[in-house]
Amino acid sequence: MIVGFAGSRLQRLEWGGWLAVAASAVAMVLGVLIGVGEAASPGATTNRQMLWLHLPAASPFPDGFSLVMGTLVDPLSALMLIVVTVVGFVVLLYSIGYMHQDHGLPRYYAELSLFLAAMSALVLANNLLEFFLFWELVGLCSYFLIGFYYEKPSAASAAKEAFLVTRVGDVMFLAGIFLFFYLYAGSGPAGLGGWAANGFVFVHNGTPFVPIGTGNGTLRTVAGIMILGGAAGKSAQFPLHVWLPDAMEGPTTVSALIHAATMVAAGVYLLAITSVFLGFTSFDDLVIVAIGGTTTFFAATMAVVHPDIKRVIAYSTISQLGYMVLAIGAGFTMVGLYHLFTHAFFKALLFLAAGSVIHAVGTQDLFKMGGLRRKMPLTATAFAVGGLALAGIPPFAGFWSKDDILASVYSTLGAHPAYWPFYLLALAAVFLTAYYIFRAWFLAFSGDRARDPAAEHAHEGPWTMQVPLVVLAAFAVGAGLFAYLPGMQNLLEHGAGIPPVYGPTNVLLSAVSVGLAGAGILSAWALWGNGRVYALPATSPAQRLRRLLLERYYLKAAYDWVGARGLYTIARVADFVDVYVIDGTVRGFERAFGGLSDRARRIQSGLVSDYASYVVAGLIVVFVLLLLVAPFVLDHVGGG
């Protein structure tokens, strides 16, 4: 608020950004302390709430209904709070150097700070309506930040696209809240009770409530699908994924914070709390597994050909979120959150390293880079560390969490053979992930010189950009080992979905996974290493596949067609009905009665002779009617 209202003056003194950094540093310290406190007290929860709204007694609440606003700290929210505050602080510090020449910095820091506040409140919310309130505020901040360069038509369009696509998911999420409310409203004394004790839902007169909704009822299944729709919109899962690559029109710092580590993780967090505290039906689980497994492979295929360094990482984000969704659908919620935790750090590292490159060379096109390892050794090393973590190479962070997902889901395949196709897609995505991220590294950093002369003057950014890279690189190396610390296990083992005991089968799966990742790295080196640029022959049949991938399987074009043709046609039909049917009917009555009134006015001529003729004509009409009607009346009376 201070940066927003007094930002112009503060910015002239170069204090605005530092004020935001200082505030985020305080939030980070508090977030880490909360996380440490939860880690030291297994399963502990702290719930503080106040009455927000009370409705009088009415069916189905004979005792009335109370809705609260509250703050809940438990292992799940503590884990997310660490991610949000640590990554938020690092990104804001990085922004000091990266954004120093941009205009509108007070607006930038105010919006980014508001986003961090909203995301923290979302994580700490103790009921679904409060959660939804801050969920929407997070989406609004995303709209502002994606469209930060609103003078560019592409940025303004991307902001609107993100806003509209995520609104589709938000409507589904709200419908899911209402359906769960309906399901639980008459179930026992508490209606939708607080999750301080047992469930992440509403509070009825402050009474704790154990959700009793189990089984596979149709309404319960629909409620779960609606929650999945909300999560898919926010976490850019198929088919609501189209907005995230275009969201790269915003500053790279925004991409690192909102679209890699925090906002897009909110959808996964929603699935996690729903899974733990409300539960999905078996059909819901299958759909979640299908969405997660398909998205993991689907997004990775598009990343293998894209020339834009930021969009490659954006597709990677969609793919890695798919792994998390896959784990939650298979029943391993904590394994999915474990990958969310590690992914936040190495994906933020990749985005900030890409931002360092863009800051130095002024382009996002990988084919205009090259040879940057000599000029930017720290950035090259940081990107490589993030790439190794993303590819799942031990001992980097991504290896531990990604392999836990593969091992956990594999353990369910005997009981759920329908999961097999989606598991195989996720396994194939391991190869693609390693290939596309090191394709980007080789194109940007390998070789003797840059392919674009403008990149010859590249150099490392200021210390405010270099320190965050070092910090995040350390997390990308060591974050995966946190799960093996006693305190961290307390954060991960709260609720359902504990990974199976690591045995010989898991060792074999890890070997397969690491082998696929190694093969992907070697394939990238063979095609793009040492400054090589592989050019697909123009006559190659694979050109059609490449075009298909660059066009995103034509899904965005299909959505645009639906918007431009389908919805526009519906709008034209509605306009026709409005103008010619509804308004036309009203105007028709108006013209008809207006014409009758006009004719009636002419009768009032003011001439006595006209009025006498009207009287005579009336008498004649009455006389004729009597002549016609009288015989009938007389016959009828006589017959009676």
Side-chain angles (χ1 to χ4, degrees):
M1 184 179 293
I2 295 173
V3 175
F5 287 109
S8 299
R9 179 172 178 80
L10 290 172
Q11 199 57 47
R12 283 197 296 270
L13 300 173
E14 299 185 358
W15 290 352
W18 285 108
L19 181 61
V21 171
S24 67
V26 173
M28 179 184 67
V29 171
L30 294 175
V32 172
L33 289 176
I34 290 172
V36 171
E38 284 297 316
S41 305
T45 62
T46 301
N47 186 41
R48 298 289 184 270
Q49 61 190 36
M50 62 177 290
L51 181 65
W52 183 35
L53 174 68
H54 178 76
L55 300 178
S59 178
F61 302 109
D63 300 323
F65 178 80
S66 297
L67 186 63
V68 303
M69 294 288 283
T71 298
L72 175 69
V73 177
D74 80 335
L76 290 179
S77 59
L79 181 69
M80 283 293 294
L81 197 61
I82 292 173
V83 171
V84 172
T85 56
V86 172
V87 176
F89 167 74
V90 172
V91 170
L92 275 169
L93 178 61
Y94 182 94
S95 299
I96 297 294
Y98 185 81
M99 298 289 292
H100 73 282
Q101 292 182 340
D102 281 69
H103 67 281
L105 287 184
R107 174 167 53 91
Y108 169 82
Y109 286 114
E111 290 168 357
L112 212 59
S113 299
L114 179 61
F115 168 81
L116 285 172
M119 190 68 199
S120 299
L122 178 151
V123 167
L124 295 172
N126 83 333
N127 62 83
L128 275 177
L129 283 184
E130 182 182 352
F131 185 99
F132 184 78
L133 175 66
F134 290 110
W135 172 282
E136 289 298 293
L137 185 55
V138 163
L140 179 65
C141 293
S142 175
Y143 168 77
F144 290 150
L145 289 164
I146 294 170
F148 179 74
Y149 301 120
Y150 59 86
E151 302 92 343
K152 293 172 54 180
S154 58
S157 176
K160 289 185 288 186
E161 179 186 19
F163 190 81
L164 292 174
V165 173
T166 54
R167 288 296 73 72
V168 174
D170 293 351
V171 170
M172 296 179 70
F173 178 22
L174 190 60
I177 293 176
F178 292 154
L179 286 173
F180 272 120
F181 177 86
Y182 176 79
L183 284 168
Y184 290 124
S187 304
L192 281 153
W195 77 296
N198 298 291
F200 186 80
V201 279
F202 297 90
V203 172
H204 177 230
N205 291 338
T207 305
F209 173 58
V210 180
I212 65 170
T214 57
N216 295 312
T218 301
L219 197 58
R220 184 175 173 78
T221 297
V222 173
I225 295 297
M226 293 296 104
I227 294 293
L228 172 61
K234 196 71 84 181
S235 290
Q237 296 295 283
F238 178 86
L240 300 179
H241 64 282
V242 294
W243 66 270
L244 186 57
D246 292 333
M248 298 303 106
E249 291 290 339
T252 304
T253 47
V254 170
S255 304
L257 180 61
I258 295 183
H259 305 115
T262 53
M263 187 189 102
V264 292
V268 175
Y269 183 59
L270 172 63
L271 288 179
I273 58 179
T274 305
S275 175
V276 170
F277 297 112
L278 290 173
F280 291 107
T281 66
S282 57
F283 181 79
D284 289 338
D285 287 335
L286 176 59
V287 175
I288 294 171
V289 166
I291 293 294
T294 301
T295 304
T296 298
F297 180 81
F298 173 77
T301 58
M302 292 182 281
V304 300
V305 298
H306 214 287
D308 188 311
I309 188 171
K310 283 178 63 177
R311 280 175 167 78
V312 168
I313 304 173
Y315 285 122
S316 173
T317 297
I318 300 172
S319 179
Q320 295 301 304
L321 291 168
Y323 277 111
M324 304 171 204
V325 172
L326 173 68
I328 294 172
F332 297 95
T333 300
M334 299 308 139
V335 178
L337 289 182
Y338 178 26
H339 194 52
L340 184 155
F341 177 79
T342 61
H343 172 264
F345 298 110
F346 64 73
K347 186 53 61 68
L349 173 63
L350 286 170
F351 265 117
L352 295 187
S356 182
V357 171
I358 297 167
H359 183 266
V361 301
T363 181
Q364 297 176 195
D365 190 342
L366 286 165
F367 292 94
K368 294 182 179 179
M369 301 177 189
L372 296 177
R373 179 180 53 187
R374 296 179 294 107
K375 299 178 179 296
M376 307 177 69
L378 176 63
T379 300
T381 303
F383 199 100
V385 169
L388 290 168
L390 175 64
I393 301 298
F396 297 91
F399 164 76
W400 307 98
S401 55
K402 181 259 298 176
D403 271 32
D404 259 3
I405 291 175
L406 294 176
S408 300
V409 177
Y410 182 81
S411 70
T412 68
L413 297 180
H416 303 283
Y419 293 178
W420 263 109
F422 311 109
Y423 179 79
L424 293 176
L425 288 175
L427 198 60
V430 174
F431 170 84
L432 296 177
T433 300
Y435 171 79
Y436 67 65
I437 198 62
F438 277 93
R439 167 183 173 269
W441 192 92
F442 288 128
L443 279 172
F445 298 103
S446 70
D448 297 328
R449 62 181 184 276
R451 286 174 289 277
D452 188 339
E456 287 296 330
H457 304 290
H459 56 83
E460 297 283 8
W463 72 268
T464 52
M465 293 174 63
Q466 296 182 43
V467 169
L469 293 179
V470 174
V471 172
L472 289 173
F475 276 108
V477 174
L481 300 174
F482 287 179
Y484 296 91
L485 300 175
M488 193 66 178
Q489 289 178 355
N490 293 335
L491 294 183
L492 289 171
E493 294 181 1
H494 175 74
I498 308 304
V501 177
Y502 207 77
T505 302
N506 305 96
V507 174
L508 179 60
L509 285 172
S510 291
V512 171
S513 173
V514 174
L516 287 171
I521 295 172
L522 289 175
S523 299
W525 178 84
L527 295 175
W528 313 97
N530 293 329
R532 291 188 294 271
V533 176
Y534 174 74
L536 189 67
T539 57
S540 171
Q543 283 287 3
R544 292 184 178 180
L545 177 61
R546 178 176 177 274
R547 175 54 54 188
L548 178 68
L549 297 177
L550 286 174
E551 294 294 337
R552 313 185 204 183
Y553 293 91
Y554 294 99
L555 272 175
K556 178 171 168 54
Y559 289 160
D560 290 343
W561 185 90
V562 169
R565 298 292 180 84
L567 295 180
Y568 181 63
T569 300
I570 294 173
R572 291 185 64 184
V573 171
D575 181 69
F576 177 85
V577 171
D578 179 51
V579 173
Y580 294 102
V581 177
I582 298 175
D583 291 350
T585 301
V586 173
R587 293 192 186 99
F589 278 113
E590 180 268 330
R591 284 193 292 268
F593 285 107
L596 289 174
S597 299
D598 184 61
R599 289 179 175 82
R601 282 197 302 271
R602 296 175 185 174
I603 296 175
Q604 303 295 328
S605 63
L607 299 176
V608 175
S609 58
D610 288 346
Y611 297 154
S613 63
Y614 297 153
V615 171
V616 172
L619 290 173
I620 293 172
V621 170
V622 171
F623 181 73
V624 171
L625 288 174
L626 288 174
L627 289 177
L628 294 174
V629 174
F632 172 78
V633 173
L634 291 174
D635 290 343
H636 180 72
V637 173

